[in-house]
Amino acid sequence: MTEMTRRHALLAGAALPLCAAAAPPARAAAPMMGPARPPFNRFTLGAFEVTTILAGTRTVPDPQTIFGLNVEPERFAAVSEAAMIPADRAQFFFTPTVVNTGSELILFDTGLAPQGTVAALAAAGYTPDQIDTVVITHMHGDHIGGLMEDGAETFSKARYVTGAVEFDAWDMSGDEGFEAKVRPLADKTRFLDDDGEAAPGVTAVAAFGHTPGHMAYRLESEGKALLIGADFANHYVWSLAHPDWEVRYDRDKAAAAATRRRLLDMLAAERMPFIGYHMPFPALGYVEALADGYRYMPASYQMMLD
């Protein structure tokens, strides 16, 4: 036994150089690539093709200066902790939506500036001159900012659609963004009231409060429906889950809260997906009605199952 043990040891030792020669050479660790997020998400809704595009995102400090203005800081902090998000910072997302109906390409809202929106469109495979119709849900700067730059239209071949009440509310207001970005396009703009048709299968839904004439839009195709909700709820916890929490940018805070509850009840009852302009990208989700409020449910694979 001893002799065999020594023999095996000698054989094993002799094999070591061969093993070393066969081992792959050591390499440096792969470089860190940095965080990344695809700038678009595409799915079908009946015969429509819907693409959300990330026109911009940024971190904002002190979110309770924007959300939950009528809530004690302790309550705001507790709700944030329960949702596993910090109470002292928030990530904002700016998400226009492209809808291809098969007969026209429609862009809903235009981001903060042309550059971010055009870059996101390019990533999704579109060029600005392919846009047939631009629908503006309301006149805040992060929705109209991409319309023009230095007097030049970003979507030079497009016609425009917006709510009549919204346009009238901003007309003669002296707002610089409206004057620079929207008024020059007035002659090319069609104005809608509640339940007006922006295009076949695209219907305006009055969602007043955030701004005087804020509009959402209902898409319907082949029995499938989706709501482009714009800014009726601007955060999935501090606004959607708690619709009575006041939001700094809601012009009429009571009307905005009533609109939130009405649309959230509709979305929950119909189990309808919606796109929220400021929801976490890709901005697509559902609403669950709870005994004491609502819960945002990000879409998973539902829209992949046709």
Side-chain angles (χ1 to χ4, degrees):
M1 290 293 293
T2 303
E3 183 62 28
M4 290 188 66
T5 300
R6 290 178 61 195
R7 186 180 299 116
H8 281 90
L10 289 170
L11 289 172
L16 283 175
L18 296 175
C19 293
R27 291 182 292 181
M32 297 293 185
M33 302 298 289
R37 181 182 294 273
F40 73 95
N41 179 59
R42 182 175 292 126
F43 58 91
T44 58
L45 183 82
F48 290 177
E49 197 170 71
V50 181
T51 306
T52 59
I53 60 171
L54 185 60
T57 182
R58 66 180 181 223
T59 303
V60 176
D62 302 320
Q64 205 184 354
T65 62
I66 301 172
F67 301 101
L69 302 184
N70 56 337
V71 176
E72 292 296 321
E74 295 79 8
R75 170 71 170 150
F76 188 88
V79 166
S80 302
E81 183 177 9
M84 299 186 183
I85 54 176
D88 63 343
R89 288 170 296 148
Q91 192 70 23
F92 278 20
F93 303 87
F94 304 89
T95 310
T97 298
V98 181
V99 177
N100 189 340
T101 68
S103 59
E104 61 181 306
L105 196 63
I106 307 172
L107 174 66
F108 291 82
D109 292 327
T110 66
L112 290 153
Q115 293 82 0
T117 301
V118 169
L121 282 171
Y126 302 119
T127 58
D129 61 0
Q130 288 181 295
I131 302 297
D132 298 299
T133 303
V134 176
V135 177
I136 298 298
T137 62
H138 64 293
M139 304 299 175
H140 279 163
D142 56 328
H143 295 256
I144 65 172
L147 282 170
M148 302 186 74
E149 187 167 49
D150 298 328
E153 291 182 52
T154 306
F155 309 101
S156 59
K157 297 181 180 179
R159 51 192 175 272
Y160 302 89
V161 174
T162 196
V165 172
E166 181 73 355
F167 186 92
D168 290 346
W170 290 80
D171 188 23
M172 305 304 291
S173 68
D175 181 82
E176 292 182 5
F178 177 88
E179 294 298 327
K181 306 278 188 173
V182 178
R183 187 177 297 285
L185 306 174
D187 290 344
K188 299 175 64 176
T189 301
R190 184 163 59 92
F191 302 100
L192 300 181
D193 293 316
D194 183 28
D195 207 36
E197 186 179 75
V202 182
T203 305
V205 178
F208 302 168
H210 180 63
T211 59
H214 178 276
M215 287 283 197
Y217 286 85
R218 183 182 179 113
L219 307 181
E220 291 186 275
S221 176
E222 297 183 347
K224 304 288 182 65
L226 176 145
L227 186 75
I228 296 180
D231 282 15
F232 86 95
N234 278 345
H235 191 276
Y236 75 107
V237 175
W238 303 321
S239 182
L240 185 154
H242 300 275
D244 296 323
W245 284 19
E246 292 183 356
V247 179
R248 174 181 169 186
Y249 299 114
D250 287 345
R251 182 86 65 89
D252 184 331
K253 293 175 173 48
T259 288
R260 275 192 287 277
R261 288 192 172 275
R262 173 171 57 85
L263 293 184
L264 291 169
D265 284 341
M266 179 196 74
L267 290 168
E270 297 189 28
R271 301 172 68 87
M272 185 195 306
F274 82 102
I275 293 168
Y277 193 77
H278 297 294
M279 293 296 114
F281 194 76
L284 176 68
Y286 296 82
V287 175
E288 179 186 14
L290 305 175
D292 58 349
Y294 304 86
R295 182 167 74 96
Y296 178 64
M297 303 174 66
S300 55
Y301 54 76
Q302 295 95 332
M303 306 309 287
M304 297 175 68
L305 305 175
D306 205 12

